[in-house]
Structures are given as structure tokens and as C-alpha cells.
Amino acid sequence: MEILAFGVQADEKPLIQQAFRGHHEVRCLHVFLNEDTAPIAAGYEVISTSVNAELGARVLEILAAGGTRMIAQRSTGFNNIDLKVAERLGMTVARVSYYSPYSVAEFAWTLAMAVNRRIVRASTRTRDFDFRLDGLMGRDLRGRTAGVLGTGKIGEAFTRIAHGFGMRLLGWDVAENPVCRELGMRYVPKERLLAESDLVTLHVPLMPETENLIDADALKSMKDDAILVNSSRGGLIDTAALVDELRAGRFAGVGLDVYEAEAGLFFLDKSLEAIEDDTLARLVTFPNVLVTSHQAYYTEDAVGQIVDATVRNVLDYRAGRRSENVLVPRS
């Protein structure tokens, strides 16, 4: 059986091909799955998709009509998939429930340190042989407060690093993590966390309950010189409200690896095109904002684990087995 994989990055392709070798043939495409590209999957029983694939009702119907019966998504998040429609169409859906939490946690810290110490501005200057220090002053993080929204595996990994920096730790989650508590974290209401934290980082999944978790009111409650980092899902932040606060001169730095309207933009080369998204266009102009293109997970370790889990998901499907990765079981 040949499997069709959509949205495969150049660095990811050899890992996918190697992982599937000896099991199934795999055809890798760099294009992302959407309504226009879905017909390519005709005749493929199993496809693999990336986190930015569009798997709403219309795309799922096209896939089902073409013979697709299994979708193996190469990510933890699955808010892009209409699971109810997939179930109605008799399609099996699986995801990757776990991969290296350190990849995302370490990248979140990379963003935090980069905006705190003005690394992008400094690098741009030195390329022009401008070695002034004006405007490059940062702050020690030791003794300051880190607020972690979401203390699961990634939040815990972030907390361990924050503890190493000697920071005061505040947490918010539906369930307390005993490891984080042992590190000295105090669980407090979200409002208190935002008001007291010098560094706020988001590590919660995107669900109806968490959409715009950081809305206009939440942003206004934060310190004027706080650092905000989001390496989870773009929809957790009301970006238009964030732009309004940035225009008012607030926040020492904002590091974003995700954006609520990133589909159709991230992972693609848009350098020769006019960007129609005015909010994103304005966002990247602020000198205290650093935007990256959903790359926090992108390490050899994490991608290798994602690919290995995807192979197991396909093999489980073929064998009629069910694992914790299955979102919609085989009918």
C-alpha cells in the first residue's frame, strides 16, 4: 500500500521515507491539504497530514469520495479536523499524542530570551557594522516571576528551565502538576498570574474553552513591561487586541511562534507576494515583537518521534488495533 503525505518539509522527508521503509511506500508532497489539493488523494486509502491541513467537512467529503479511509495527522493538535464528519464518513483519524516536550519548551525560552535581550535588533545592527548598545538593554530574569498557563508536559519542561533561572513560579491549569509544585510553583487564578508575572507563556491546547484565552481584558491586566510568549496555538490570543496594546507602547517583548490565521501562510514562501492580512503585517513591524513560523516542535528528536508515531498509527490501522493516538476509531 502506498501512503500519501501532505505538507512534508524538506528536512522531514528523509525521516518519513526512512521510517516507512520496510512497511509501506510513501509519497511525500510539499503542498498542504485543502479543498484544492484534496483530489490528489484519490485512490489513497491512507493519507498523512500536517497541523495546518484543512480538514473541514468539504475536504473530508472529497477524501472519502476518493477512497481515503484513514488520516494520520503528524501533530498533537487536531482542532483543524472535523471529527464528527470524519466519524459520519467512516474515516479513521489518528494523531501523535506525545513527542519531545523539550523541543517546544526550549523554543519558548529562545523566544523569551531573544525579545528580552533584543537579539534580532542587535544582529541586524552588527551586520551593518553598527555596534551601538542604544535600545538593547534587557533585564535579568532571576528573581522575577514566570507565569505558566498550562502545566502539562511542555509547561513542566518550561517550568524546570524557569526554576533553573531562579524565577518565582506561578501556574494556572485545570489540574495541578505535582512536579511543578515541587519546583516551587504556586497555582493561582489566571487574573492574578497575568497581573503579577514578568514573563507569561502559553502551553494549553486550543479548544472552545481556551479560544482567545488572552483577550483584550487579559492583555490590559498584564504588566506594561511584561514579556508574552506563545508557542502553543495562535487562537489562544486575540491578535487584534494585542496589536492595540503594542501600539500603546506596552510590553517589553512578545514572542509568537503561532498565529491565529497562520493557515495558508506559515510553512510557505510568501516573500514575493502582498500580504493581505493587515493584522499580521502590522504585528511584525513592532521592534519588540518576534514572530516565527510554527517551528517550536521542529527538532530532529521531536520530528523523529512524530514520524515514528505516525508509522505506528498506520500499522495499527491496518492491523485493526486501537491506541491512545486514535481520535476516531476504525468502523
Side-chain angles (χ1 to χ4, degrees):
M1 181 180 69
E2 187 177 33
I3 296 159
L4 183 64
F6 285 93
V8 177
Q9 304 297 312
D11 297 331
E12 186 184 15
K13 183 176 180 179
L15 296 176
I16 291 177
Q17 292 176 328
Q18 176 62 35
F20 273 102
R21 189 166 296 147
H23 300 294
H24 298 290
E25 295 294 322
V26 59
R27 178 187 175 194
C28 295
L29 302 179
H30 71 277
V31 297
F32 294 94
L33 178 62
N34 54 40
E35 188 171 340
D36 293 329
T37 60
I40 301 174
Y44 288 90
E45 180 182 350
V46 176
I47 67 168
S48 178
T49 58
S50 65
V51 67
N52 274 349
E54 297 177 14
L55 286 159
R58 179 57 184 152
V59 171
L60 290 172
E61 289 167 355
I62 295 172
L63 293 173
T68 298
R69 294 293 175 264
M70 195 268 181
I71 298 169
Q73 176 137 301
R74 304 186 307 279
S75 71
T76 298
F78 54 90
N79 55 286
N80 60 320
I81 309 173
D82 191 326
L83 298 180
K84 291 183 178 179
V85 172
E87 184 176 15
R88 173 173 60 81
L89 295 171
M91 304 176 78
T92 300
V93 180
R95 59 149 179 175
V96 177
S97 58
Y98 175 86
Y99 61 85
S100 169
Y102 306 104
S103 61
V104 179
E106 291 172 6
F107 194 83
W109 268 104
T110 300
L111 291 174
M113 295 303 295
V115 296
N116 178 40
R117 301 308 300 268
R118 314 290 191 262
I119 298 300
V120 175
R121 180 183 292 181
S123 177
T124 301
R125 283 186 182 179
T126 55
R127 285 177 179 272
D128 292 331
F129 297 96
D130 178 353
F131 300 104
R132 294 172 299 157
L133 296 182
D134 297 347
L136 300 183
M137 184 174 288
R139 295 177 294 174
D140 288 1
L141 293 179
R142 179 177 178 81
R144 288 189 161 85
T145 301
V148 184
L149 292 164
T151 56
K153 293 182 176 66
I154 297 173
E156 177 187 319
F158 187 97
T159 300
R160 290 180 182 276
I161 300 171
H163 179 263
F165 270 93
M167 300 187 75
R168 173 178 176 244
L169 304 171
L170 296 180
W172 175 87
D173 207 329
V174 294
E176 297 185 6
N177 184 327
V179 174
C180 293
R181 291 181 63 184
E182 290 175 6
L183 292 170
M185 174 173 281
R186 293 184 61 189
Y187 281 86
V188 297
K190 183 185 73 171
E191 294 74 18
R192 179 180 171 186
L193 182 150
L194 294 175
E196 297 184 12
S197 295
D198 301 289
L199 167 60
V200 175
T201 183
L202 307 180
H203 300 293
V204 299
L206 180 61
M207 304 179 292
E209 298 82 6
T210 60
E211 187 171 2
N212 284 346
L213 180 70
I214 305 300
D215 57 12
D217 290 338
L219 291 165
K220 290 183 184 301
S221 71
M222 293 173 61
K223 293 182 177 182
D224 288 343
D225 60 353
I227 293 171
L228 174 62
V229 174
N230 186 10
S231 57
S232 185
R233 286 293 183 269
L236 298 174
I237 296 179
D238 183 338
T239 314
L242 176 60
V243 168
D244 288 341
E245 296 302 309
L246 289 165
R247 290 177 63 186
R250 302 190 63 231
F251 303 129
V254 175
L256 304 175
D257 186 51
V258 287
Y259 175 61
E260 58 185 329
E262 68 182 54
L265 290 173
F266 282 18
F267 305 144
L268 301 172
D269 182 1
K270 297 289 185 177
S271 60
L272 299 179
E273 302 178 27
I275 298 299
E276 298 178 358
D277 189 324
D278 292 338
T279 302
L280 178 60
R282 184 70 180 93
L283 188 64
V284 299
T285 65
F286 292 103
N288 57 334
V289 174
L290 175 57
V291 178
T292 53
S293 56
H294 208 139
Q295 70 181 81
Y297 77 99
Y298 207 53
T299 67
E300 292 180 3
D301 310 82
V303 173
Q305 293 167 5
I306 289 169
V307 170
D308 288 344
T310 300
V311 172
R312 290 196 300 272
N313 288 342
V314 173
L315 295 179
D316 285 347
Y317 162 77
R318 294 287 289 174
R321 296 187 296 263
R322 182 173 178 176
S323 73
E324 71 279 3
N325 289 339
V326 176
L327 299 171
V328 179
R330 186 171 185 172
S331 57

